[in-house]
Amino acid sequence: MLLKNIEKALNDQIRIEAESSQIYLAMACWAEVKGLEGVAGFMYDQSQEERDHMLKLVKFVNERGGHAKVSELSEPNVTFNSFKEMFEKLFEHEVFVSQSINELVHITLQEKDYATHNFLQWYVSEQIEEEAMARTILDKINLIGDDKGGLYLFDRDIQQLTITSASIDTPQ
Ligand SMILES: [Fe+2]
Ligand SMILES: [Fe+2]
């Protein structure tokens, strides 16, 4: 059984994952409208992944005797000054999500809920990967600067990055 405060904390995380999915969907739309097909594809994939993160939590809460909450979501930012700014936002958001997961892990230890603690380790590893990926992308963007040819290659290469990360992801 889930303690009420842990159920509440997990439900808060469900909302955060759902909002992450919306944020990246809005980024996908912005990139697609700008003609950045590769970047858009990458963001659509990120959006889908966040939805999967949400569903994994939903199922855990329901299976453990809690009731997963489907809540209202705040409207994401839909325009960006540059694609660099968009990826900076993505990175900042992932750091925020990592902090939220850490807080959740902390509560499970305080409450000696080792089942939830164990379940959350997957999210801890996932956040390490996502932060690293966002950092790698930002490094590449900084290398490109204002070079249009560089942007073209970046848009093409990021599709490759998505394919590679998808193929090394372990099936759930
Ligand atoms: Fe996530
Ligand atoms: Fe994420």
Side-chain angles (χ1 to χ4, degrees):
M1 272 299 282
L2 284 174
L3 290 168
K4 276 292 158 203
N5 61 334
I6 294 201
E7 181 179 351
K8 159 89 174 61
L10 287 168
N11 273 322
D12 288 345
Q13 191 61 36
I14 286 171
R15 184 190 169 136
I16 289 175
E17 300 294 343
E19 284 182 339
S20 303
S21 182
Q22 294 291 84
I23 289 168
Y24 299 154
L25 184 59
M27 288 179 175
C29 291
W30 184 83
E32 193 159 52
V33 168
K34 291 273 165 202
L36 294 165
E37 234 176 275
V39 173
F42 173 82
M43 288 300 179
Y44 279 122
D45 287 352
Q46 293 307 304
S47 176
Q48 189 56 52
E49 270 193 33
E50 299 302 345
R51 183 176 160 79
D52 292 344
H53 297 170
M54 179 201 68
L55 284 175
K56 206 176 161 82
L57 280 158
V58 163
K59 289 186 177 148
F60 180 79
V61 169
N62 291 339
E63 275 164 18
R64 296 287 299 159
H67 190 163
K69 201 173 159 218
V70 179
S71 26
E72 188 181 6
L73 307 175
S74 42
E75 191 183 341
N77 189 15
V78 292
T79 53
F80 305 91
N81 292 316
S82 64
F83 82 111
K84 181 182 173 175
E85 186 199 80
M86 188 178 75
F87 278 102
E88 281 167 351
K89 290 264 154 61
L90 178 137
F91 178 66
E92 283 165 22
H93 185 72
E94 287 300 333
V95 171
F96 159 76
V97 174
S98 299
Q99 285 164 351
S100 171
I101 295 285
N102 283 345
E103 196 49 45
L104 198 45
V105 170
H106 177 71
I107 300 169
T108 60
L109 280 184
Q110 272 180 327
E111 297 289 358
K112 298 192 167 72
D113 179 351
Y114 298 113
T116 306
H117 183 266
N118 185 49
F119 166 77
L120 288 173
Q121 297 313 302
W122 183 87
Y123 286 84
V124 172
S125 315
E126 181 68 14
Q127 283 313 118
I128 294 171
E129 265 183 43
E130 295 206 347
E131 272 189 46
M133 185 172 64
R135 213 176 274 124
T136 306
I137 291 171
L138 276 182
D139 287 346
K140 281 192 205 292
I141 291 172
N142 284 324
L143 280 175
I144 297 167
D146 291 327
D147 179 31
K148 285 255 170 2
L151 175 57
Y152 173 80
L153 292 176
F154 172 81
D155 188 55
R156 196 193 60 184
D157 288 352
I158 199 167
Q159 279 170 307
Q160 205 53 46
L161 190 75
T162 318
I163 297 160
T164 319
S165 68
S167 64
I168 52 173
D169 260 3
T170 43
Q172 290 158 39

